[in-house]
């Protein structure tokens, strides 16, 4: 069912003209991260440009006027459907781009840790210059030499040789050799040497057994990447929900502005009729003043509604980072078909919600940290070798094994801490699941309530429109007063505005339901299948 509400005519054209854009297109800026990380078969790809051959550059953000590096120019139309706005948001949101950078950083860190237990070869080059200068004390050495020389032959007994050889004749007096030698030995020696040396060597080390430390480290790092991805999906889903909120709030504000403009046009006609009747003497001056007062109020409300619509469109514009108004072309809608049972949506939430994926990543981190703590009881085995690059090189090679026997972190306490973190993750999963089930049921009820209210308000709209038609005819026939027409006009405006608000409530509740299920883009499926669509001022 489509509610007939014409948006053409002078009032509609004036409203459209008031939202004329300041430019036809914009070079929106977008950060790009060339990494794609899957989580539970859900990929989080980098933004892809709309342009066929984008050029990475440093552009200026149209909102903050700050430079953004690694960006590309993006043409954004001023007329956007919801799906086009979603695609644009994914490409221009600095928050999503920052999340992609965080994911890429964590992913690269995991790649870096994956090679920590591989052999590494290193080269060593050395060039040294030296100078040695020392005053060496030789006095004690000199004295010992003199004493040793003087004592040569002392105590020599040749009595045992008498039977073998003739006796040695007396030796004439000899000079004092000790003093002679002592005079030649200095008391000190000034040692002074200088020069340079060069050397080169090649070494290798290979941790052949690390007791699983490398696997635990890379596993923990990968789990942190999964947590970053889950956080990114949470932010993305929240931004999609914010987009729907602002997009259809702008649509509602535009409808409200049009209804106020339409009411003002109607009251202008009523005021003209009242003036004519007053001049002919059919109504009193009080009735004439009431018509004038109602017209002034309608004009004031119309101006306020136009300003509210402009503000709502600015909020949408800021989210999509343009410097001109975004005109939404997807209408507010309501589906008369009932939703599936609440258990269907609850099962979706337990399967797809990124909050549970984040808790799962936290648990994996705790498990890997426990595995890392457990390696403290096991040895590390290392193969090593080093060789000097020389004419006659020296080399060394061997294997070493080391155990930490005592000291450092308490291994038992570390294991206990990891076990506590695992328990925390398990309990958090229960709590998050309970909260999700309750949130899904609340949003499911909100959708049903908004759907029922919209359908119930249709009779109010029909009644108010008929009463207004009869009151205006009655005023022309002199049966009704201007205050009767103003009251009927107010009731008709209220009924149509309330129904449009109910449609917006339905849309927002449906978006919240899809977000709580972890499937925000499934909202588009319900949009395309809706059988009730409100009119929209802008068409693609």
């Amino acid at each position: 069912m489509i509610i007939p509400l014409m948006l053409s005519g002078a009032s509609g054209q004036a409203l459209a003209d008031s939202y004329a854009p300041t430019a036809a297109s914009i070079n929106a800026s977008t950060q790009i991260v060339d990494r794609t990380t899957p989580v539970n078969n859900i990929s989080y790809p980098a933004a892809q440009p709309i342009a066929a051959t984008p050029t990475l550059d440093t552009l200026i953000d149209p909102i903050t006027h700050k430079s953004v590096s690694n960006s590309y120019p993006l043409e954004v139309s001023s007329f956007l459907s919801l799906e086009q706005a979603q695609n644009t948001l994914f490409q221009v949101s600095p928050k999503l781009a920052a999340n992609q950078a965080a994911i890429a950083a964590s992913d690269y860190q995991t790649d870096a840790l994956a090679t920590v237990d591989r052999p590494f070869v290193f080269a060593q080059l050395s060039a040294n210059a030296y100078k040695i200068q020392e005053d060496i004390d030789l006095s004690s050495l000199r004295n010992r030499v003199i004493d040793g020389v003087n004592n040569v032959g002392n105590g020599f007994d040749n009595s045992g040789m008498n039977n073998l050889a003739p006796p040695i004749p007396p030796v004439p007096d000899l000079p004092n050799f000790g003093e002679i030698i002592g005079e030649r030995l200095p008391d000190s020696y000034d040692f002074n040497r200088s020069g340079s040396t060069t050397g080169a060597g090649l070494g290798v080390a290979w941790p052949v057994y690390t007791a699983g430390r490398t696997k635990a480290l890379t596993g923990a790092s990968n789990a942190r990447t999964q947590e970053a991805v889950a956080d990114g999906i949470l932010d993305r889903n929240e931004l999609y929900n914010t987009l729907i909120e602002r997009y259809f709030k702008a649509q509602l504000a535009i409808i409200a502005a049009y209804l106020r403009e339409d009411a003002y046009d109607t009251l202008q006609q009523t005021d003209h009729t009242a003036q004519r009747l007053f001049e002919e003497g059919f109504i009193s001056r009080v009735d004439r003043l009431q018509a004038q007062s109602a017209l002034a109020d309608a004009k004031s409300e119309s101006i306020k509604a136009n300003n509210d619509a402009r503000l709502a469109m600015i909020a949408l514009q800021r989210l999509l980072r343009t410097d001109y108004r975004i005109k939404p072309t997807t209408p507010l809608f309501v589906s008369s078909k009932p939703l599936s049972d609440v258990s269907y949506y609850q099962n979706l939430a337990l399967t797809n919600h990124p909050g549970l994926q984040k808790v799962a990543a936290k648990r994996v981190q705790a498990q890997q940290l426990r595995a890392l703590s457990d390696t403290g009881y096991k040895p590390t085995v290392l193969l090593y070798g080093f060789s000097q690059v020389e004419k006659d090189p020296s080399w060394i090679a061997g294997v070493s094994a080391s155990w930490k026997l005592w000291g450092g972190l308490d291994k038992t306490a570390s294991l206990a801490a990891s076990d506590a973190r695992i328990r925390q993750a398990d309990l958090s999963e229960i709590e998050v699941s309970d909260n999700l089930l309750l949130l899904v049921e609340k949003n499911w009820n909100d959708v049903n309530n908004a759907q029922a209210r919209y359908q119930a308000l249709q009779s109010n709209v029909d009644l108010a429109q008929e009463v207004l038609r009869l009151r205006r005819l009655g005023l022309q026939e002199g049966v009704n007063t201007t205050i009767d027409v103003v009251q009927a006009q107010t009731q008709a405006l209220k009924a149509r505005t309330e129904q449009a608000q109910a449609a917006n409530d339905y849309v927002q509740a449906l978006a919240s339901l899809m977000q709580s299920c972890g499937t925000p883009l499934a909202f588009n499926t319900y949009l395309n299948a809706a059988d009730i669509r409100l009119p929209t001022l802008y068409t693609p």
Side-chain angles (χ1 to χ4, degrees):
M1 180 176 62
I2 299 179
I3 306 298
L5 176 61
M6 300 302 295
L7 296 181
S8 59
S11 61
Q13 185 60 45
L15 182 61
D17 294 341
S18 68
Y19 300 132
T22 59
S25 63
I26 181 177
N27 287 338
S29 57
T30 302
Q31 289 93 346
I32 300 176
V33 179
D34 296 325
R35 299 292 292 196
T36 301
T37 305
V39 177
N40 293 341
N41 297 322
I42 300 176
S43 60
Y44 196 83
Q48 296 298 323
I50 291 178
T53 56
T55 302
L56 292 177
D57 203 348
T58 298
L59 301 177
I60 303 299
D61 179 67
I63 304 301
T64 62
H65 303 293
K66 294 184 178 180
S67 61
V68 183
S69 59
N70 295 331
S71 302
Y72 55 82
L74 181 67
E75 296 293 329
V76 180
S77 172
S78 60
F79 293 87
L80 288 181
S81 67
L82 177 63
E83 186 174 358
Q84 290 171 328
Q86 289 168 337
N87 293 334
T88 300
L89 176 65
F90 187 73
Q91 296 179 89
V92 303
S93 171
K95 187 173 186 179
L96 293 183
N99 287 338
Q100 291 175 10
I103 293 169
S106 182
D107 206 11
Y108 283 127
Q109 187 176 26
T110 302
D111 294 343
L113 288 172
T115 62
V116 72
D117 60 350
R118 295 180 184 175
F120 60 93
V121 179
F122 60 93
Q124 178 179 313
L125 299 175
S126 64
N128 306 300
Y130 67 90
K131 182 176 182 180
I132 304 175
Q133 186 173 1
E134 184 69 27
D135 187 10
I136 303 174
D137 184 10
L138 299 178
S139 58
S140 60
L141 177 61
R142 178 175 177 274
N143 294 332
R144 287 199 299 270
V145 170
I146 293 174
D147 292 342
V149 171
N150 290 335
N151 291 331
V152 172
N154 289 347
F156 180 74
D157 184 6
N158 61 354
S159 59
M161 303 290 291
N162 292 333
N163 298 327
L164 301 175
I168 299 173
V171 179
D173 291 337
L174 298 174
N176 190 339
F177 291 106
E179 293 182 2
I180 294 173
I181 294 174
E183 292 175 355
R184 295 179 178 275
L185 292 177
D187 290 332
S188 63
Y189 177 70
D190 186 12
F191 183 79
N192 193 343
R193 293 288 186 274
S194 63
S196 63
T197 62
T198 59
L202 192 65
V204 61
W206 184 7
V208 293
Y209 178 73
T210 59
R213 294 182 184 89
T214 301
K215 182 179 179 181
L217 285 172
T218 54
S221 181
N222 187 63
R224 282 193 294 271
T225 301
Q226 306 308 308
E227 182 182 358
V229 171
D231 285 333
I233 296 175
L234 281 170
D235 289 341
R236 183 185 63 183
N237 292 356
E238 183 179 351
L239 274 176
Y240 280 153
N241 197 60
T242 301
L243 174 63
I244 290 174
E245 178 185 353
R246 294 190 185 184
Y247 188 95
F248 288 105
K249 186 177 180 180
Q251 281 287 33
L252 177 63
I254 291 171
I255 290 176
Y258 172 79
L259 291 176
R260 287 291 181 182
E261 190 81 17
D262 187 58
Y264 176 65
D265 289 344
T266 302
L267 285 176
Q268 279 184 313
Q269 299 173 12
T270 302
D271 180 74
H272 177 73
T273 302
Q275 177 65 25
R276 182 171 55 83
L277 293 175
F278 174 71
E279 292 173 352
E280 295 176 358
F282 288 102
I283 62 174
S284 65
R285 180 173 178 78
V286 173
D287 291 334
R288 178 70 189 98
L289 292 175
Q290 287 177 337
Q292 290 178 331
S293 176
L295 181 62
D297 288 342
K299 183 177 182 180
S300 174
E301 291 296 329
S302 177
I303 293 174
K304 180 180 181 299
N306 273 274
N307 289 334
D308 290 343
R310 184 174 292 106
L311 180 61
M313 294 174 74
I314 289 175
L316 178 61
Q317 162 194 336
R318 293 297 176 87
L319 187 63
L320 297 178
R321 314 206 71 74
T322 67
D323 58 0
Y324 56 87
R325 303 286 185 270
I326 294 296
K327 300 182 178 68
T329 61
T330 300
L332 283 164
F333 67 93
V334 176
S335 176
S336 61
K337 300 176 182 178
L339 292 174
S340 301
D341 188 74
V342 65
S343 59
Y344 167 77
Y345 300 99
Q346 289 175 332
N347 290 333
L348 279 179
L350 295 179
T351 303
N352 299 300
H353 199 278
L356 292 174
Q357 297 173 10
K358 181 175 180 178
V359 172
K362 287 281 191 183
R363 191 181 196 283
V364 173
Q365 290 180 55
Q367 290 175 325
Q368 296 299 329
L369 289 176
R370 191 191 190 287
L372 182 63
S373 299
D374 192 45
T375 62
Y377 295 96
K378 299 175 183 178
T380 299
V381 180
L382 179 72
L383 295 179
Y384 63 90
F386 184 80
S387 175
Q388 292 179 329
V389 182
E390 296 177 357
K391 181 178 180 181
D392 297 319
S394 300
W395 60 271
I396 184 174
V399 59
S400 68
S402 61
W403 287 263
K404 188 183 77 172
L405 300 178
W406 182 82
L409 295 176
D410 189 311
K411 292 177 286 189
T412 303
S414 296
L415 287 172
S418 299
D419 290 338
R421 291 191 186 96
I422 293 175
R423 176 173 173 78
Q424 178 188 13
D426 290 338
L427 295 175
S428 296
E429 182 180 8
I430 295 175
E431 181 185 12
V432 171
S433 299
D434 285 345
N435 292 337
L436 277 178
L437 294 176
L438 182 60
L439 180 61
V440 168
E441 186 151 6
K442 174 200 175 290
N443 292 333
W444 184 82
N445 285 327
D446 289 345
V447 174
N448 288 326
N449 292 339
Q451 181 189 59
R453 177 165 175 75
Y454 179 89
Q455 293 172 337
L457 287 173
Q458 183 60 46
S459 60
N460 291 357
V461 172
D462 295 339
L463 175 61
Q465 289 291 103
E466 182 64 18
V467 169
L468 175 60
R469 186 182 69 84
L470 294 176
R471 292 291 185 269
R472 293 177 65 182
L473 290 175
L475 178 63
Q476 295 175 358
E477 299 295 331
V479 178
N480 297 117
T481 64
T482 55
I483 190 65
D484 293 332
V485 176
V486 169
Q487 289 176 347
Q489 177 68 44
T490 302
Q491 285 301 115
L493 176 63
K494 179 182 177 182
R496 296 169 73 183
T497 303
E498 285 181 345
Q499 191 179 45
Q501 180 62 56
N504 185 60
D505 291 342
Y506 174 87
V507 167
Q508 303 301 337
L510 181 62
S512 297
L513 177 61
M514 294 300 101
Q515 182 187 11
S516 61
C517 292
T519 56
L521 293 182
F523 176 90
N524 296 357
T525 303
Y526 290 85
L527 185 158
N528 295 329
D531 55 345
I532 303 174
R533 295 174 184 269
L534 275 66
T536 177
L537 181 63
Y538 304 111
T539 56

